[in-house]
Amino acid sequence: MSVGNVNAVINGKRLLDIDTSLERISENPQILVYHTHGTEAYKDSREGVEADTVIGMGDILCEALTAKGFSVIHDRSTYDFVNGKDNRDYAYTTARPQVEALLKEYPSIEVVLDIHRD
C-alpha cells in the first residue's frame, strides 16, 4: 500500500467519532505501561541510574496517571538487556509474551503504552 492510499484504509472521521475516554477511579487496571527498550537513557543520564532511563520516565508517567485517577500497571522489565546481554534486536519478541500474559490476566486494560526516549 502506498502512502497515498492511506485514506482508503483508515477512516479518520470514523476514528474521531469513537469515544476513547476511560473511567476514572477504577478498581481494575486500565493502562499498561512498559518498555521494549527499557535501558534507553538520555544524553544527560547518569550511567547505571535506572531513574534516568525510560523506565524512570515510566515511573513519572504512572504517578501522574494514578494521580489523575487511573489504575495503572507499570512493567519495569528490561527486554532489551537479558541475562547480562544485549537483546536490543529481539526486545519486541522478548516483551510480547509478558505483555500478552498481562493482558490476559487483566482484561480490563484498555490502553497499552510502550515508552521510548524518542
Side-chain angles (χ1 to χ4, degrees), residues 42-60:
Y42 302 91
K43 185 176 181 178
D44 59 348
S45 294
R46 298 163 290 179
E47 189 169 336
V49 178
E50 189 176 62
D52 290 355
T53 66
V54 294
I55 292 176
M57 182 56 67
D59 289 337
I60 293 167

Side-chain angles (χ1 to χ4, degrees), residues 35-39 50 55 75-82 94:
H35 315 273
T36 50
H37 296 92
T39 63
E50 189 176 62
I55 292 176
D75 176 6
R76 302 175 87 253
S77 304
T78 53
Y79 298 108
D80 59 339
F81 197 76
V82 178
T94 304

Side-chain angles (χ1 to χ4, degrees), residues 3-19:
V3 174
N5 294 332
V6 161
N7 289 330
V9 177
I10 298 172
N11 183 329
K13 169 113 175 67
R14 193 179 90 217
L15 289 174
L16 290 172
D17 288 340
I18 296 172
D19 179 6

Side-chain angles (χ1 to χ4, degrees), residues 21-32:
S21 60
L22 295 176
E23 295 289 325
R24 293 186 190 212
I25 311 176
S26 172
E27 294 178 18
N28 300 313
Q30 303 164 286
I31 302 171
L32 169 62

Side-chain angles (χ1 to χ4, degrees), residues 54-93:
V54 294
I55 292 176
M57 182 56 67
D59 289 337
I60 293 167
L61 174 62
C62 289
E63 288 174 20
L65 290 169
T66 300
K68 294 282 187 185
F70 298 106
S71 180
V72 183
I73 293 177
H74 187 197
D75 176 6
R76 302 175 87 253
S77 304
T78 53
Y79 298 108
D80 59 339
F81 197 76
V82 178
N83 297 324
K85 295 183 180 179
D86 182 3
N87 189 51
R88 196 161 185 75
D89 292 341
Y90 303 98
Y92 291 101
T93 303

